[in-house]
């Protein structure tokens, strides 16, 4: 009998959900129809992630640069966030999913901020999948906030310059409580990070697929995980060193 291949699951998956606009355009639909379909994809993906017991997923829902899109699209996206949270949060809660948001929520409408806060507090004690939603987030913004916090502590003499190290910087960033992403998935064919989790993806395996986000499904997530499980993660060491420690 053949032994089953061992699939090493990623602990934390970061996702850039790209391609909604092109998906809609190719069907002669308005861009927002692509985003609506994208929410359905996210829902199915979360169901699958719960089934296969992933620990953490961090999705890029809205970057700080996305404010530059046409006002109509931004407004429709904001409405979609509110309606998606209102319609999905109970089910997420029933599935033991903990929802948290990273990014500057203070720039959102009060209504959206309330939905965000309510989703977080309703699900805060859940112990299953952690779903982090990056909204009004960017990697450089995150790093600048960390630098400001460290500079303030130095100014107030509660910290010395020599105390600055990777651990300290990580502790000042969004996702400080989470392990760095193991796997980064970007749909939609572009091969870039787009100012996402810049510090946190230093050693993340990067997976790009042509599939547009609304067409991404459980099978595609499994393919990405399968690809990940075949990667040799060296973290700066040589392949030989790793093989020695494995034997
Ligand atoms: C990028 O595709 C997608 C977005 C900017 C929005 C993604 C948001 C969702 C799927 C909704 C998530 C909802 C919640 C509540 C977490 P694009 O518009 O850049 O597509 P294109 O590259 O084809 O133009």
């Amino acid at each position: 009998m053949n032994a089953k291949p061992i699939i090493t699951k990623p602990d934390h998956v970061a996702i850039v959900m790209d391609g909604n606009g092109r998906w809609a355009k190719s069907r002669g639909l308005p861009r927002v129809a692509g985003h609506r379909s994208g929410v359905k994809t996210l829902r199915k993906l979360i169901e699958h992630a719960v089934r296969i017991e992933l620990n953490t997923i961090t999705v890029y829902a809205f970057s700080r640069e996305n404010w530059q899109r046409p006002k109509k699209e931004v407004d429709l996206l904001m409405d979609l966030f509110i309606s998606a949270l209102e319609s999905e949060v109970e089910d997420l809660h029933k599935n033991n999913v903990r929802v948290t948001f990273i990014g500057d929520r203070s720039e959102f409408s009060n209504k959206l901020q309330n939905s965000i806060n309510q989703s977080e507090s309703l699900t805060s004690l859940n112990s299953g999948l952690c779903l982090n939603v990056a909204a009004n987030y960017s990697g450089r913004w995150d790093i600048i906030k960390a630098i400001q916090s460290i500079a303030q502590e130095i100014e107030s003499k509660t910290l010395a310059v020599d105390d600055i190290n990777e651990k300290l910087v990580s502790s000042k960033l969004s996702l400080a409580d989470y392990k760095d992403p193991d796997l980064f998935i970007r749909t939609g064919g572009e091969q870039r990070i787009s100012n996402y989790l810049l510090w946190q993806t230093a050693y993340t395996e990067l997976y790009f697929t042509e599939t547009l986000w609304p067409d991404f499904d459980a099978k595609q997530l499994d393919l990405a995980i399968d690809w990940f499980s075949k990667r040799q993660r060296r973290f700066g060491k040589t392949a030989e060193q790793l093989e020695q420690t494995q034997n």
Side-chain angles (χ1 to χ4, degrees), residues 17-22 31 35 38-39 42 61 66 69 81 84 133:
M17 310 178 285
D18 196 17
N20 294 345
R22 279 164 287 160
R31 290 177 60 82
H35 297 314
V39 173
L42 182 56
N66 284 151
R69 291 192 172 200
F81 293 150
V133 180

